[in-house]
């Protein structure tokens, strides 16, 4: 499966239902994670909010670093977001 990077809107949480994941394009970077908050198991595609370099799950306001997936609210969860494996081939994201 592959997605053309330039077709992704800038700074939007884009669902990838086939992988139960989402992708965010920010500038020249793309970030792909499992569509599930490790705290309360809400989906970011329905309850997520982007705030600069952070993604927030609005179910219980857990905040994560978009670049690394690390939790920024350890009092709620120390678990990071789960990365989805991919590679960039030219103008496409290819999922492995």
């Amino acid at each position: 499966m592959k997605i053309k990077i330039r077709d992704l809107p800038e700074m939007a949480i884009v669902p990838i239902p086939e992988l139960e994941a989402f992708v965010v394009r920010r500038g020249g970077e793309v970030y792909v994670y499992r569509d599930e908050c490790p705290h309360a198991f809400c989906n970011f595609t329905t309850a997520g909010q982007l705030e600069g370099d952070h993604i927030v799950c609005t179910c219980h306001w857990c905040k994560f670093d978009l670049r690394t997936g690390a939790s920024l609210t350890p009092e709620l969860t120390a678990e990071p977001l789960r990365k989805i494996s991919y590679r960039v081939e030219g103008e496409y994201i290819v999922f492995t």
Side-chain angles (χ1 to χ4, degrees):
M1 173 180 180
K2 63 184 180 179
I3 298 173
K4 191 176 264 190
I5 296 170
R6 71 174 178 206
D7 288 346
L8 296 170
E10 178 80 10
M11 286 301 289
I13 300 168
V14 179
I16 308 170
E18 301 88 345
L19 301 175
E20 296 181 351
F22 68 88
V23 60
V24 174
R25 180 174 68 91
R26 186 164 194 259
E29 300 294 324
V30 291
Y31 307 98
V32 186
Y33 294 102
R34 180 172 169 78
D35 189 18
E36 183 177 79
C37 177
H39 171 248
F41 310 108
C42 293
N43 296 102
F44 286 98
T45 52
T46 56
Q49 178 177 308
L50 294 169
E51 296 179 353
D53 289 331
H54 306 136
I55 187 166
V56 178
C57 176
T58 61
C59 287
H60 295 101
W61 303 103
C62 287
K63 185 182 280 192
F64 301 89
D65 186 310
L66 182 61
R67 297 163 297 178
T68 65
S71 172
L72 301 174
T73 48
E75 65 278 10
L76 297 175
T77 185
E79 292 293 316
L81 299 179
R82 201 163 127 212
K83 293 182 180 184
I84 300 295
S85 180
Y86 71 93
R87 66 184 182 278
V88 175
E89 288 184 3
E91 58 185 26
Y92 290 93
I93 302 170
V94 179
F95 298 95
T96 55

